Amino acid sequence: MSAEPLLRVEDLKTQFFTDAGTVRAVDGISFEVYEGEIVGLVGESGAGKSVASMSLLRLIESPGEIVGGEITYKGETIFGLEEGPDGELREREDMLTNEEVRTRIRGNEIAVIFQDPMESLNPVFTVGSQLREFIELNRDLSNGAARQEAIDMLREVGIPDPEERYEEYPHQFSGGMRQRVLIAMALACEPSLIIADEPTTALDVTVEGQIIDLVDELQQKYDTSFIWVTHDMGVVAEICDRVNVMYLGEIVEQAPVDELFYDTKHPYTDALLDSMPRPDRTVEELDPITGVMPEAISPPSGCRFHPRCPDAREACKRIHPENREVARAEGYPHRAACIKHDVFGSDYEESAPLENGAGADQQLPASAVDSTSTSTSTSTSGESERTDGGEHDE
Amino acid sequence: MGLLRYTAFRVVQAIPVLIGITVITFILANLAPGDPVRLMLQGQEVDQEVIERVERQYGLDRPLHERYVTYMVNLLQGDLGHSIHRDRPVTDLLIQRAGPTLLLVISAYAFALVTAIPLGIIAATRRNEPTDHVSRIVALIGVSTPSFWIGIMLILIFAIQLGWLPSSGLVYPWRSPEHYGYSGYLELAFQTIRHLLLPMVALGTLQMATLMRVERTQMIESLQGEYVKLARAYGVPERTILRKHAFQVAQLPIITIVGLNLSTALGGAVLIEYVFNINGIGRLFLEAIQSLDYQLIMGITIVIGTMFVIGVIITDISYAYIDPRVTYGDRD
Ligand code: SF4
């Protein structure tokens, strides 16, 4: 574990101001990415993974906005607030301007690979010209050199006949090949960090395996760090070094990958892992939870997982646990946001088990069905305390 | 290679459509009430024998299918029949009147495109801001106001009230300046534009309004595309995204609208030519209807139908040239 992380995210909050109310898509998450590691960001759709990763590039579109927290990358402040003389929060002096984020961070420092390789490439330009455009923007290369680099990169990601394919349009590529093009784009800009937002979800299992192997190989060769956003624990197991599990805008567990799998500390992570005995099954298929985003408007009181948690007790409805260090492994903290653990010093042990908890079977879907209704009703009336100094939930 | 074959293929495909147009037009024109010979005589009393002789002369006594075959054979040689009423070949009449109509329709389209595309983009980038609302209202008015009414209003304001622009007729740039008694080509060009301005706006407004809304919708959709997100994530400046990444994709449907609306524009031209006293095909069409000149009506209908088909073919082909995703039936 090197001393300084490449990227440090602290208490990041991104909200969407919609007519229906404020959606707290990302609600105070903290994590680090060190050089050369692959960090997973895992959770169901709607957990806020993609919003969190786009916040890192300050690419949140209206009505969304980053409202709090700090993002530091290589010592530069991508986002940071401070209290002004009038007591109002304002952007910090050293925070990069929009123009600086665009020219200094996006692409050349932090690149992205999106989920849908079909839609991510512009249908009316050749693959080569798109690749070259990004290379020219993010690296100091002449026209000809950028073209050569693009062709080399296409070869590097395993595209046969790169000279010819350079001139072709995206529709002439298969899904897997397009995803390879996107990987080539990211690597060609020589960033230190690549955000891969569900890069294999749209692909079939065989191709997914190939892409993961490719990324694994190239990651070691270029020593690039990755943030790997996914809902698939199987993929996490295959590729990630450390993992952050997200639930309703919060990180509920954070640990090195082996530790997470073999010494799970959060019931939600347990449920996710339980839902993956078959490698071809994903969380989404098992748990067709609908309307997750509306839930982020009025999340359940206390622990946000309590309406679905098999271990939930009375205390869980009251106490909103922060993500605390509960153990250490491989020199990294193992954090979990669950008051079961002693470090929270809560009255969990003494409080009565909740309906859905006691004896309920471990499967997510059974408890998920009624979670929507209970969560809205409890949150309106329920007032919750935070473990970090009794701070109240809004 | 593929593109050339595709072009040829589309042209061949159009042949049955064109034949269909001639059949329907021919049948309708011949089934319509009113005996052409009697109409030509305008109520004068003539012997039955004379009528029969005239009918024989024009082949009107033969059965319908025979007459159709004769008509088609002539049509293939560029002969659209003889206008009994005007005693002139229909083809000659059409050629004579085609220039003004083409001038009017093309300039109306040019006006519509030049205004609609920038306005649509501005509306898309300022979505739900005042600019967007104003453009929406303008478009609504443009779509729902008949072009002849716009024409009359323009005449009232700019020709009669303000006296800035002429209210009728066109000056044709293909004639010599001397023909109009102008000092030179500069004045000819100036007068051409002056005369064209009002009818062009009157005819182009509907197209402008339609295209502007389409452009707006397309740009909004395109700007929300994943490829735009990707471009942003790689630090592409917003200007470039607007002008290049989003714009290119958004133009494809515009081409379709332009091609398909050609018939609407020609229909509009009929009324605009009437309002502005322009001697184009549209006016000729109205005159032909008023005088029940069936040969002429048929000729014009076939020409307009053909132009519509050509419009569709040109749309398809240009789409294939511009959009790399269009395949031409054969795969490599
Ligand atoms: S705090 Fe309670 S409800 Fe939340 S995960 Fe832990 S046991 Fe379950």
Side-chain angles (χ1 to χ4, degrees):
Chain A
M1 173 179 168
S2 52
E4 260 309 293
L6 187 65
L7 173 83
R8 183 193 294 278
V9 178
E10 265 170 292
D11 201 25
L12 176 69
K13 287 183 178 152
T14 304
Q15 306 185 339
F16 288 82
F17 301 94
T18 68
D19 292 340
T22 303
V23 179
R24 293 187 282 183
V26 173
D27 207 14
I29 63 168
S30 306
F31 65 95
E32 295 86 34
V33 178
Y34 292 91
E35 237 157 78
E37 67 170 353
I38 300 185
V39 173
L41 211 52
V42 57
E44 294 161 294
S45 54
K49 301 163 295 183
S50 294
V51 176
S53 56
M54 284 302 100
S55 300
L56 305 181
L57 289 170
R58 292 232 312 255
L59 277 174
I60 299 297
E61 277 170 66
S62 165
E65 207 187 316
I66 304 174
V67 295
E70 204 176 302
I71 305 167
T72 320
Y73 175 85
K74 284 190 180 170
E76 297 207 83
T77 309
I78 293 181
F79 187 83
L81 298 178
E82 64 183 2
E83 207 168 297
D86 51 355
E88 291 278 307
L89 283 178
R90 63 171 191 206
E91 287 171 1
R92 268 190 0 220
E93 200 75 359
D94 60 344
M95 184 173 125
L96 297 178
T97 64
N98 285 337
E99 193 59 15
E100 284 168 337
V101 170
R102 183 177 75 71
T103 52
R104 300 215 318 243
I105 301 293
R106 291 180 197 152
N108 49 358
E109 281 297 343
I110 306 179
V112 294
I113 303 169
F114 282 134
Q115 166 171 6
D116 198 337
M118 304 291 171
E119 304 291 325
S120 294
L121 293 169
N122 196 315
V124 300
F125 298 110
T126 60
V127 162
S129 73
Q130 298 186 48
L131 204 48
R132 205 189 65 211
E133 182 183 12
F134 291 171
I135 293 174
E136 278 172 11
L137 256 173
N138 292 302
R139 287 176 60 184
D140 240 352
L141 290 180
S142 70
N143 207 310
R147 186 195 148 91
Q148 194 48 50
E149 177 70 16
I151 292 171
D152 290 346
M153 226 49 226
L154 287 175
R155 188 178 294 114
E156 183 84 358
V157 296
I159 289 175
D161 309 320
E163 275 99 355
E164 281 112 78
R165 312 274 350 220
Y166 180 91
E167 305 289 349
E168 289 184 1
Y169 289 92
H171 72 273
Q172 291 165 292
F173 286 67
S174 69
M177 282 295 157
R178 276 187 245 197
Q179 200 53 281
R180 283 170 196 265
V181 171
L182 290 183
I183 293 168
M185 268 178 186
L187 288 171
C189 297
E190 298 192 323
S192 304
L193 174 64
I194 293 175
I195 299 171
D197 190 350
E198 304 251 13
T200 59
T201 307
L203 307 173
D204 66 57
V205 184
T206 337
V207 182
E208 175 174 60
Q210 290 167 0
I211 296 287
I212 287 176
D213 290 346
L214 174 74
V215 170
D216 223 10
E217 184 195 314
L218 292 173
Q219 192 264 336
Q220 271 161 33
K221 181 167 170 188
Y222 290 85
D223 203 33
T224 314
S225 304
F226 273 78
I227 293 178
W228 198 279
V229 179
T230 181
H231 63 274
D232 190 337
M233 273 293 184
V235 173
V236 169
E238 259 181 87
I239 202 162
C240 293
D241 298 312
R242 292 191 308 119
V243 190
N244 298 287
V245 179
M246 279 190 80
Y247 186 75
L248 275 184
E250 298 179 324
I251 291 179
V252 293
E253 184 163 6
Q254 182 177 69
V257 67
D258 290 341
E259 178 83 356
L260 187 90
F261 276 75
Y262 299 114
D263 189 15
T264 313
K265 301 282 193 201
H266 197 282
Y268 177 62
T269 314
D270 259 332
L272 280 183
L273 292 172
D274 277 345
S275 70
M276 55 156 291
R278 295 210 313 261
D280 58 336
R281 223 162 44 168
T282 64
V283 181
E284 244 112 3
E285 286 167 60
L286 265 155
D287 187 11
I289 183 166
T290 51
V292 176
M293 282 308 265
E295 274 193 86
I297 290 183
S298 50
S301 66
C303 170
R304 289 185 181 169
F305 189 51
H306 85 253
R308 294 165 75 187
C309 178
D311 299 342
R313 298 201 178 171
E314 272 307 322
C316 302
K317 281 165 90 172
R318 272 185 290 112
I319 304 169
H320 186 181
E322 58 171 339
N323 197 21
R324 261 190 204 178
E325 183 167 331
V326 293
R328 268 197 103 72
E330 305 163 28
Y332 292 94
H334 186 159
R335 299 195 177 104
C338 174
I339 57 166
K340 276 198 308 189
H341 300 286
D342 294 340
V343 288
F344 284 87
S346 71
D347 55 352
Y348 176 82
E349 290 298 332
E350 296 84 54
S351 82
L354 286 181
E355 276 284 301
N356 63 329
D361 65 322
Q362 298 279 309
Q363 291 291 316
L364 274 174
S367 50
V369 177
D370 54 13
S371 73
T372 343
S373 52
T374 40
S375 65
T376 24
S377 56
T378 44
S379 61
T380 39
S381 57
E383 180 130 304
S384 58
E385 42 184 282
R386 266 195 116 111
T387 47
D388 46 344
E391 190 188 311
H392 283 267
D393 233 10
E394 294 153 277
Chain B
M1 183 60 218
L3 224 41
L4 265 177
R5 264 181 53 198
Y6 177 72
T7 309
F9 175 68
R10 289 296 287 123
V11 171
V12 172
Q13 257 190 339
I15 292 172
V17 181
L18 290 172
I19 292 176
I21 291 174
T22 57
V23 171
I24 293 170
T25 317
F26 191 82
I27 292 174
L28 285 179
N30 283 283
L31 290 182
D35 181 335
V37 182
R38 284 191 198 285
L39 272 166
M40 190 170 62
L41 297 170
Q42 292 174 331
Q44 296 169 51
E45 282 304 318
V46 184
D47 285 350
Q48 188 61 26
E49 194 195 318
V50 178
I51 289 176
E52 274 167 17
R53 206 185 62 228
V54 175
E55 278 187 347
R56 249 196 319 281
Q57 189 192 333
Y58 290 107
L60 292 171
D61 56 334
R62 287 180 297 134
L64 201 59
H65 65 270
E66 264 181 43
R67 275 156 55 199
Y68 175 72
V69 171
T70 320
Y71 187 78
M72 282 305 286
V73 169
N74 290 336
L75 183 65
L76 288 176
Q77 293 158 355
D79 178 4
L80 283 162
H82 196 88
S83 162
I84 303 176
H85 224 82
R86 288 168 176 74
D87 198 21
R88 300 248 329 253
V90 171
T91 315
D92 284 6
L93 283 167
L94 280 172
I95 289 173
Q96 199 188 7
R97 301 288 196 99
T101 302
L102 286 178
L103 182 64
L104 179 62
V105 171
I106 290 171
S107 58
Y109 260 122
F111 160 73
L113 283 170
V114 165
T115 49
I117 289 178
L119 289 176
I121 293 172
I122 291 170
T125 50
R126 314 234 161 104
R127 192 138 69 110
N128 296 329
E129 288 175 31
T131 328
D132 188 21
H133 296 310
V134 170
S135 94
R136 180 175 300 139
I137 293 165
V138 170
L140 191 67
I141 295 172
V143 170
S144 49
T145 316
S147 58
F148 71 86
W149 189 84
I150 296 178
I152 293 169
M153 287 301 125
L154 288 175
I155 290 176
L156 281 177
I157 298 168
F158 292 100
I160 295 175
Q161 285 289 324
L162 299 170
W164 290 350
L165 295 166
S167 66
S168 79
L170 283 185
V171 167
Y172 308 125
W174 52 83
R175 294 239 169 99
S176 69
E178 292 80 44
H179 178 91
Y180 296 104
Y182 296 150
S183 55
Y185 282 98
L186 212 62
E187 193 183 352
L188 180 73
F190 176 71
Q191 289 297 341
T192 304
I193 293 168
R194 248 172 62 90
H195 282 77
L196 202 52
L197 222 45
L198 293 185
M200 172 186 88
V201 172
L203 183 59
T205 303
L206 171 67
Q207 308 296 339
M208 193 255 287
T210 320
L211 288 174
M212 186 169 89
R213 292 316 279 173
V214 174
E215 178 72 32
R216 175 186 178 273
T217 316
Q218 289 303 321
M219 275 306 279
I220 286 174
E221 195 181 299
S222 185
L223 280 168
Q224 285 166 346
E226 285 282 302
Y227 47 85
V228 166
K229 253 171 79 184
L230 193 77
R232 283 207 183 103
Y234 278 86
V236 178
E238 209 57 28
R239 259 181 308 149
T240 317
I241 288 179
L242 206 60
R243 283 194 202 146
K244 184 179 162 192
H245 299 252
F247 182 76
Q248 291 286 87
V249 183
Q251 296 329 299
L252 299 172
I254 295 285
I255 298 167
T256 318
I257 305 278
V258 169
L260 295 183
N261 273 8
L262 197 65
S263 57
T264 327
L266 284 171
V270 172
L271 295 171
I272 293 299
E273 285 177 13
Y274 197 75
V275 170
F276 286 93
N277 212 6
I278 295 166
N279 279 324
I281 291 181
R283 248 180 79 119
L284 185 66
F285 195 42
L286 279 184
E287 289 163 12
I289 291 170
Q290 281 162 354
S291 56
L292 291 178
D293 189 340
Y294 286 122
Q295 291 293 327
L296 192 51
I297 294 172
M298 234 157 62
I300 295 174
T301 313
I302 288 171
V303 166
I304 290 181
T306 310
M307 278 168 86
F308 177 67
V309 172
I310 292 173
V312 172
I313 293 177
I314 291 177
T315 310
D316 278 3
I317 293 171
S318 47
Y319 218 109
Y321 272 93
I322 294 163
D323 189 345
R325 286 166 298 183
V326 173
T327 50
Y328 329 114
D330 51 14
R331 267 161 233 287
D332 41 338

